[in-house]
Amino acid sequence: MAASLTTSVVFHVPTLGLSEYYHTRIHISRFSEFSSSDITSNSWSAKRKVVSSCRNSRSTRLDRYVPKVSIAYGSVLNEHPMWDDGEEDVDDVSMPSSLVSENRLQFLEERDEKNLSWRLLKLSRADKVRSALELYASMDFMGLRPESHAFNALLSCLLRKEELDDALHVFESMRSSGRTSGHSYNLILQGVAKARGFEAAFQMFQELIDDKEETIKADQVLFNMMLTLCRDEKDWIKSEWIWRKMKENDCVGNLVTYRLLVTMFLGFCQYGLAVEAYLEMVQNEVEPDTRTMEAAVMSFVKDGRWDFALSVFRDMMKRKENPNIIVFNALIHSLGNNGQVNLAFKVYDCMRCLGHVPTSYTWNALLIALCRADQYSEALGLFEKIQQESPSELGLHLYNTALTACNKLGSWRRGLQILWEMEDLGLEIPVTSYCRVIGACEVGNEPKVALQLVPPNAHLYNAAVQGFCLREKTESATKLYQEMRELGLSADHKTRAMMLQFLPKI
């Protein structure tokens, strides 16, 4: 018998009143191999165990169980005293090493894995790390394996106490015995991400996906957890990779999956991917929530698919949802740009009914919609309404859009009024604003007014001369060009080329 045993174990016999110690040898190669083995060389793996003779060595908890075993032997073998429901000071790293060395493994009279798993579960949920590890190590020593839920509870306990190396060893033991589940991977990946960073967790997840035997355990919850980590890391490329692998694994997403995908792709301007994810969500008959539908409307708008955006918006109205003002403004702007002026105003009416207050972006989108539909008179009428009802929302964009309408209608008087109002408000008037008023004067056949309007600015003179030339206002163009030269302003190449048609020499 002695030939088959490998280490010395001390037995104390207090019930017999003897002071002698009886020595025997027990084969413990299984547990030694487990506790001292390295997992892999990956960044997420546990560190290689180093045996130290120093009493205060800061090794992991599992290191302390090898190789000495002390078992109190009596007429009835009781559970270890740390298994009771009393308090356990698991954070005291300065405790005497003898407390640990004298209670490393316990003789297990109980051999039922279900009962032992229940006990391990109870200890783990109570965060009794040392006692839970002692029980687990004793089970492993006896060739007993905890059930999956007990394994997961131990993993969770170790990760809560930031014992990642021990958690990784326990997890590897679970893999070798086929006791892992999607929840196990969820726990360990979150622990690795917290302790060693996102890249280490993603590398571990990739290895899971590449393992044909383990990839079937990657469930919906695990994929969602990885997508959440990608969102926190702001990495949409890895999000797309995870999404593709999810479909390859025949795992159908849920609301959480598609909300993460659509909102992340939208946030990083990947509108095509956001649209694809939303359409897949509809195809899989997953009911979207308000946030996902808002993101879908924005994605369709940015992708130039106003009809799909309007369809999602109508679904929201049927469900009596109330989109935010940004969604309303984006949809109105998209409809206006595509000549759907009536639909744009219907969306605007709906917005007012739901209690939203129009912003300058809303008004500008409506003005642009009217101008795109060649309804310039209606655009000026709306601008006057804005001046009366919402003067605080007036800004440079609104004024310029109104000047565009004046330009098209030839309403030079109204254009001058708007220009003067901009000057009174102290706005920094750009060259384009003057050019639009000059254009209004040209259309209204008032070249003298246009000449008086132009200040000594090379850009304005060039724009005005070119405008007169395009409208074959030869006399006005020549006069303005000569005035430009007298002021010492430089004509650009386009102005010179046009004036060559009217002046023999420049």
Side-chain angles (χ1 to χ4, degrees), residues 164-445:
L164 180 61
D165 285 341
D166 287 341
L168 286 169
H169 278 290
V170 171
F171 177 76
E172 193 64 19
S173 177
M174 293 173 68
R175 288 189 62 177
S176 63
S177 59
R179 299 293 178 93
T180 56
S181 63
H183 184 56
S184 309
Y185 278 99
N186 197 318
L187 290 171
I188 200 66
L189 285 170
Q190 289 190 69
V192 171
K194 181 180 178 181
R196 301 184 183 175
F198 170 73
E199 292 297 333
F202 186 77
Q203 179 186 355
M204 186 177 184
F205 179 76
Q206 283 181 308
E207 294 179 8
L208 161 66
I209 295 299
D210 294 337
D211 190 334
K212 294 182 180 180
E213 295 182 0
E214 293 292 308
T215 187
I216 58 175
K217 298 176 183 179
D219 56 9
Q220 194 180 75
V221 176
L222 180 59
F223 278 112
N224 289 345
M225 187 273 293
M226 290 303 300
L227 288 174
T228 302
L229 292 178
C230 289
R231 180 201 61 188
D232 296 340
E233 197 68 17
K234 299 179 180 179
D235 193 333
W236 69 267
I237 297 177
K238 288 187 175 65
S239 292
E240 183 186 5
W241 185 88
I242 292 171
W243 178 33
R244 304 301 182 193
K245 290 296 181 180
M246 187 176 185
K247 291 194 287 186
E248 291 177 9
N249 209 40
D250 296 325
C251 183
V252 179
N254 58 7
L255 173 59
V256 176
T257 309
Y258 293 110
R259 182 173 61 223
L260 287 168
L261 290 172
V262 176
T263 54
M264 170 166 276
F265 290 146
L266 174 63
F268 287 92
C269 303
Q270 303 300 314
Y271 308 124
L273 291 174
V275 166
E276 182 183 350
Y278 184 79
L279 293 178
E280 181 183 300
M281 181 182 190
V282 174
Q283 182 180 0
N284 290 335
E285 298 182 352
V286 178
E287 189 72 15
D289 60 356
T290 302
R291 184 180 178 186
T292 307
M293 296 182 82
E294 288 177 344
V297 172
M298 297 295 295
S299 300
F300 281 120
V301 165
K302 297 293 186 179
D303 202 44
R305 306 171 74 171
W306 65 267
D307 48 348
F308 283 88
L310 185 62
S311 177
V312 177
F313 176 80
R314 285 170 172 166
D315 290 339
M316 296 184 73
M317 294 301 99
K318 291 178 182 178
R319 291 171 46 171
K320 298 183 180 180
E321 302 282 358
N322 189 355
N324 60 49
I325 187 68
I326 298 175
V327 173
F328 277 108
N329 288 341
L331 184 57
I332 291 171
H333 184 74
S334 178
L335 292 171
N337 281 340
N338 288 278
Q340 304 296 321
V341 62
N342 293 331
L343 290 174
F345 273 90
K346 287 182 178 179
V347 173
Y348 165 74
D349 292 337
C350 182
M351 183 188 77
R352 295 301 298 265
C353 290
L354 292 175
H356 292 290
V357 179
T359 64
S360 59
Y361 191 92
T362 311
W363 295 123
N364 196 49
L366 292 172
L367 287 174
I368 291 175
L370 291 171
C371 290
R372 290 291 178 90
D374 297 333
Q375 299 180 24
Y376 302 110
S377 298
E378 289 79 0
L380 286 178
L382 177 60
F383 181 76
E384 293 175 357
K385 179 182 178 182
I386 298 170
Q387 286 180 310
Q388 296 173 1
E389 297 181 0
S390 305
S392 61
E393 298 296 336
L394 290 173
L396 187 59
H397 294 295
L398 286 173
Y399 280 112
N400 280 336
T401 306
L403 289 176
T404 300
C406 294
N407 185 0
K408 296 295 183 180
L409 293 172
S411 301
W412 60 272
R413 290 187 177 86
R414 186 72 181 100
L416 284 174
Q417 291 175 354
I418 293 174
L419 192 62
W420 293 334
E421 184 176 340
M422 294 171 69
E423 292 175 348
D424 291 339
L425 291 174
L427 296 176
E428 186 176 348
I429 305 174
V431 174
T432 54
S433 301
Y434 287 103
C435 292
R436 288 168 185 173
V437 179
I438 293 172
C441 294
E442 295 170 2
V443 175
N445 200 23

Side-chain angles (χ1 to χ4, degrees), residues 7-19:
T7 189
S8 176
V9 180
V10 182
F11 290 84
H12 181 216
V13 193
T15 56
L16 300 180
L18 302 177
S19 60

Side-chain angles (χ1 to χ4, degrees), residues 33-34 36-41 45-49 169 172:
E33 178 183 356
F34 160 71
S36 61
S37 64
D38 186 25
I39 300 175
T40 65
S41 61
S45 63
K47 298 178 181 178
R48 182 177 296 274
K49 303 299 179 181
H169 278 290
E172 193 64 19

Side-chain angles (χ1 to χ4, degrees), residues 5-11 22-28 67-70:
L5 302 179
T6 60
T7 189
S8 176
V9 180
V10 182
F11 290 84
Y22 295 88
H23 295 264
T24 185
R25 301 181 66 82
I26 299 178
H27 183 77
I28 62 170
K68 183 180 178 182
V69 182
S70 175

